[in-house]
């Protein structure tokens, strides 16, 4: 049976490779437009499932892994900043505040049609950040493709006061603990 990661994210690919199971990667090409009034957890779950099911159409005898993350602080959704100006704005808003990263996981078995899901929240409390610290960090790491503008697996850890959650991998984008559980439920043992 094949394992297919329905994501082009290098971060998710790196995380999944830690499990030392063979897998391939497929681009889900899913519209990630937010639905007005949808809760962040619901958005993450809807998109994770949409990604898995989109990739499943072209696969047989495979377990398809879909994943999505929505970050929220003060009731506001934090997307990927995309550029320096947006990253500065996000980090100013996060200074001294807590953000919750809702990472949803969907595992779809193309043989049986069975779909299993989990949502793994992870809370991050940011330090109080001054402008020079923000600029130094962004100059060194340029995390423009990360929701919240900080990579906890890199220098961004210096911006964080505390983290709370079941699985630190969820913060990076793929909750491996939950994934191992779902794979076992679908008959795939790791290791």
């Amino acid at each position: 049976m094949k394992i297919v990661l329905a994501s082009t994210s290098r971060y998710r690919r790196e995380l999944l490779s830690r499990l030392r199971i063979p897998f391939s990667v497929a681009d889900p090409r899913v519209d990630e437009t937010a639905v007005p009034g949808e809760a962040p957890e619901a958005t993450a779950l809807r998109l994770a499932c949409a990604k898995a099911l989109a990739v499943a159409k072209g696969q047989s005898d495979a377990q398809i892994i879909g994943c999505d993350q929505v970050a929220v602080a003060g009731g506001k959704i934090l997307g990927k900043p995309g550029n320096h100006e947006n990253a500065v704005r996000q980090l100013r808003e996060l200074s001294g505040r807590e953000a919750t990263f809702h990472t949803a996981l969907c595992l779809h078995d193309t043989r049986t049609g069975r779909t299993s899901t989990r949502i793994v929240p992870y809370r991050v409390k940011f330090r109080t950040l001054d402008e020079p610290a923000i600029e130094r960090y962004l100059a060194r790491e340029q995390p423009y493709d990360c929701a919240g503008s900080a990579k906890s697996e890199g220098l961004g850890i210096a911006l964080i006061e505390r983290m709370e959650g079941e699985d630190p991998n969820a913060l990076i984008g793929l909750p491996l603990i939950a994934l191992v559980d779902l794979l076992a439920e679908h008959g795939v043992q790791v290791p």
Side-chain angles (χ1 to χ4, degrees):
M1 181 180 306
K2 298 180 292 186
I3 306 286
V4 181
L5 177 62
S7 174
T8 57
S9 163
R10 65 185 168 112
Y11 306 110
R12 290 189 178 115
R13 191 170 47 246
E14 289 169 10
L15 286 169
L16 185 54
S17 69
R18 292 180 188 176
L19 297 182
R20 298 185 183 184
I21 55 176
F23 68 94
S24 60
V25 173
D27 186 347
R29 294 191 174 113
V30 169
D31 178 7
E32 297 190 35
T33 305
V35 173
E38 188 175 44
E41 303 94 317
T43 299
L45 186 58
R46 174 178 56 83
L47 293 174
C49 290
K51 291 173 182 181
L53 295 174
V55 168
K57 291 177 185 173
Q59 303 287 335
S60 62
D61 197 28
Q63 297 287 338
I64 313 296
I65 302 166
C67 199
D68 196 77
Q69 183 182 75
V70 177
V72 180
K76 181 179 178 184
I77 292 178
L78 305 170
K80 296 174 185 174
N83 61 46
H84 184 82
E85 295 75 26
N86 290 337
V88 168
R89 188 170 25 263
Q90 276 191 356
L91 290 174
R92 280 181 192 147
E93 290 174 9
L94 289 169
S95 177
R97 297 177 71 190
E98 185 174 287
T100 301
F101 293 77
H102 301 281
T103 306
L105 179 62
C106 177
L107 184 64
H108 179 75
D109 185 330
T110 61
R111 288 175 309 162
T112 66
R114 180 178 176 205
T115 300
S116 301
T117 62
R118 296 269 173 89
I119 299 175
V120 181
Y122 208 81
R123 287 170 301 288
V124 176
K125 172 74 166 40
F126 285 81
R127 297 178 188 279
T128 299
L129 308 171
D130 60 21
E131 290 295 316
I134 290 171
E135 290 295 342
R136 282 192 309 272
Y137 170 68
L138 293 176
R140 291 181 180 134
E141 193 143 73
Q142 301 175 0
Y144 306 135
D145 61 347
C146 297
S149 303
K151 293 181 185 178
S152 66
E153 69 276 22
L155 182 59
I157 198 72
L159 307 180
I160 296 171
E161 184 176 299
R162 121 182 129 257
M163 302 188 305
E164 300 173 28
E166 298 172 18
D167 184 348
N169 299 300
L171 181 57
I172 302 169
L174 182 62
L176 294 179
I177 293 171
L179 178 58
V180 169
D181 290 343
L182 293 183
L183 286 168
E185 290 173 15
H186 285 238
V188 178
Q189 298 303 312
V190 179

